Amino acid sequence: MYLIALVIFIILVGIYNIYINLARRKKKQVSSLMVNIQVSLNLLLVIVGLIYLIFG
């Protein structure tokens, strides 16, 4: 159950990171809120991944 949720979360964070990266390449304006969300999601992904690795 937790593994499925973790995989879905990884996919969603990956899609969001790709979206932000493509927006930057197309010279679209990326707000600081979007960057803050990206950083927060990546940190949360690392923390959840470590917790799963240790306790999983």
Side-chain angles (χ1 to χ4, degrees), residues 3-52:
L3 180 61
I4 295 171
L6 182 62
V7 169
I8 291 171
F9 183 66
I10 290 170
I11 291 170
L12 291 176
V13 170
I15 290 170
Y16 188 73
N17 285 332
I18 292 170
Y19 172 75
I20 296 289
N21 193 12
L22 290 176
R24 285 182 179 154
R25 284 189 179 190
K26 293 181 180 180
K27 305 293 185 209
K28 292 183 180 178
Q29 187 173 1
V30 178
S31 69
S32 62
L33 177 64
M34 292 175 73
V35 174
N36 288 340
I37 291 172
Q38 182 184 23
V39 170
S40 299
L41 285 175
N42 287 333
L43 287 174
L44 185 64
L45 181 63
V46 169
I47 292 169
V48 170
L50 286 173
I51 289 172
Y52 184 78

